[in-house]
Amino acid sequence: MASAPSLKIPNPSSPAASATSRDRRHLLVTIPSTVASPTSPRRRSASLAVAFAAASASAASINGGGVPKINGHPRINGFEPAAGLRVAFQGAPGAYSEFAAKTALLGCDTLPCRAFADAISAVERGLADRAILPVESTMEGAALRNYDLLLRHDLRVVQEISLFVNYCLLAMPGVSPAEVRRVISHPVALAHCGRALAQLGLHRCEPVEDTAGAVEMLRSNRLLDTAAIASPRAALLYGLDVLAHGVQDESWNVTRFLLLAAPTSLAAAGAAVHPKQTPLKTSMVVAHRGGSMVVLLKVLSAFSRRNINLTKLEVINSSSKEDKAPVFILDVKAKGTLRAFPHVLYVDFEGSTEDPKAMEAIDEISQTAELVRILGCYAADPNVYDLH
């Protein structure tokens, strides 16, 4: 059957400040973020489909018709091929996490898992060499809360990758837009596309476990009155029609992923992701029980006086009065004790833990904070990659 015609949806404007307003527990400051908006002015198009097509054409033009780029960056990051490396991800085949893994580690094998915790468990049990977790997005901030999951386990961040997320409306072959009565996808994807779906008259939205799972459900049950929100790669993988491209409410939609490895594999991982002359980034968590502002100022002062740039600073404050759960952190230095803290700071800074200045800053912070844990030191990657 011929493919259904693509819908053209007027691109709704939205205040950029709404990206982090959904999670009022947290203060997130990114300086600068790997998922920040492009420096050049964002050009609005008459439709989301046209906007994405224009962006793709512009990217190809910048690169002289070679490898496509997003915001001037190539989609392939130049790391060594990783054939045979097993990467666990949450979701069904075709999920954004799987594409991020295959982009970050060329030629790797992927292991689908039902939950993020299962992906981490696969690494701990030796069933996978890496786990990949989405941790931040331009539309959700850090509301994904996978950092909290990372803190409960003894894994290390060994790589980062930021992926341009292009949501598409997919349907069974031959199904026309007028036949669609409901939309299924991951709850975050549905939230990201709320206004565009409303403009299409699609008000019946039902959440499922993940975007690729929605596509799998659509295909296996041959649902002719249902569309799914997923990636264009998922459409190719499952043989579905794309009814509309770029149905996200914000045209610039980027998610940052972290790849995790067990401590025992750190030596091999370091050789793979730390090429010579590559700028390094370190992620750490600072936990304390009182004097939240004192510790925050201590962190800022310790890095500022040594001219060390921060690329991320997230402050989490929980309180029993406000019925907010504390953050649990595995204290790897205390025989794996799981400890609860009401105040936590996530910090990313430019440089390595082996840098004397960085070591001095960490020691200074440790004198005030109750717990400081290094989550990983890895190659900094400011690029944003697409799925084309």
Side-chain angles (χ1 to χ4, degrees):
M1 294 184 181
S3 298
S6 294
L7 298 176
K8 293 186 177 181
I9 313 163
N11 190 3
S13 59
S14 171
S18 65
T20 57
S21 63
R22 298 180 181 86
D23 191 356
R24 297 181 180 178
R25 285 179 53 199
H26 309 95
L27 166 67
L28 175 62
V29 182
T30 311
I31 334 168
S33 172
T34 57
V35 294
S37 298
T39 55
S40 58
R42 190 186 307 169
R43 294 188 177 182
R44 297 288 183 180
S45 174
S47 72
L48 296 181
V50 173
F52 185 77
S56 299
S58 175
S61 175
I62 292 173
N63 199 36
V67 177
K69 296 185 178 183
I70 290 292
N71 195 24
H73 298 304
R75 68 178 177 88
I76 298 176
N77 59 12
F79 289 121
E80 293 296 323
L85 203 66
R86 299 162 299 174
V87 183
F89 69 97
Q90 185 275 330
Y96 287 98
S97 291
E98 182 183 34
F99 293 134
K102 288 182 174 292
T103 302
L105 297 168
L106 304 179
C108 71
D109 297 324
T110 51
L111 176 65
C113 300
R114 181 168 184 176
F116 292 115
D118 296 331
I120 288 180
S121 177
V123 175
E124 294 176 326
R125 296 163 56 196
L127 301 177
D129 304 293
R130 302 282 190 277
I132 187 166
L133 300 181
V135 292
E136 299 162 354
S137 80
T138 50
M139 296 186 69
E140 287 291 319
L144 299 172
R145 303 315 324 143
N146 280 330
Y147 274 112
D148 291 357
L149 184 61
L150 169 60
L151 297 186
R152 295 170 179 259
H153 299 267
D154 187 16
L155 298 183
R156 303 291 191 275
V157 181
V158 295
Q159 195 171 342
E160 67 175 347
I161 180 170
S162 294
L163 188 70
F164 181 81
V165 176
N166 171 36
Y167 287 126
C168 295
L169 193 65
L170 311 181
M172 289 291 294
V175 171
S176 69
E179 296 175 280
V180 176
R181 296 291 179 267
R182 67 167 180 164
V183 180
I184 58 175
S185 193
H186 188 276
V188 171
L190 293 174
H192 287 181
C193 305
R195 289 193 299 275
L197 293 177
Q199 289 180 349
L200 290 172
L202 298 174
H203 301 285
R204 184 183 171 190
C205 299
E206 298 179 10
V208 295
E209 289 185 346
D210 60 272
T211 56
V215 172
E216 193 174 50
M217 183 186 306
L218 186 70
R219 185 70 189 184
S220 60
N221 295 315
R222 300 190 61 80
L223 302 175
L224 302 181
D225 65 343
T226 303
I229 294 176
S231 72
R233 286 275 189 91
L236 293 174
L237 184 63
Y238 290 90
L240 299 178
D241 285 349
V242 178
L243 300 184
H245 285 274
V247 292
Q248 60 269 13
D249 293 334
E250 289 289 332
S251 59
W252 185 256
N253 184 22
V254 177
T255 296
R256 181 189 181 211
F257 297 81
L258 296 179
L259 285 104
L260 314 175
T264 53
S265 65
L266 275 179
V273 300
H274 293 178
K276 292 182 179 180
Q277 308 302 320
T278 298
L280 299 181
K281 177 188 290 187
T282 297
S283 293
M284 61 185 287
V285 62
V286 180
H288 51 103
R289 301 188 187 282
S292 177
M293 185 58 66
V294 172
V295 177
L296 173 60
L297 293 176
K298 176 65 72 174
V299 169
L300 293 173
S301 174
F303 287 109
S304 176
R305 287 189 291 104
R306 294 171 176 86
N307 294 319
I308 299 175
N309 292 327
L310 301 185
T311 60
K312 171 187 172 69
L313 175 61
E314 181 183 359
V315 181
I316 300 178
N317 292 313
S318 60
S319 169
S320 57
K321 294 181 181 179
E322 299 175 358
D323 196 29
K324 294 177 180 177
V327 176
F328 288 89
I329 303 176
L330 186 70
D331 189 345
V332 295
K333 294 182 180 180
K335 298 181 180 180
T337 303
L338 200 62
R339 303 170 62 185
F341 292 93
H343 309 293
V344 171
L345 283 75
Y346 295 109
V347 181
D348 288 356
F349 66 86
E350 294 179 353
S352 167
T353 50
E354 298 179 358
D355 186 328
K357 289 184 177 180
M359 294 173 65
E360 291 176 4
I362 294 171
D363 289 341
E364 182 178 324
I365 295 168
S366 299
Q367 294 174 12
T368 303
E370 188 168 340
L371 184 147
V372 175
R373 177 177 153 190
I374 303 300
L375 301 178
C377 180
Y378 47 96
D381 188 357
N383 295 341
V384 177
Y385 305 94
D386 68 15
L387 293 180
H388 292 270

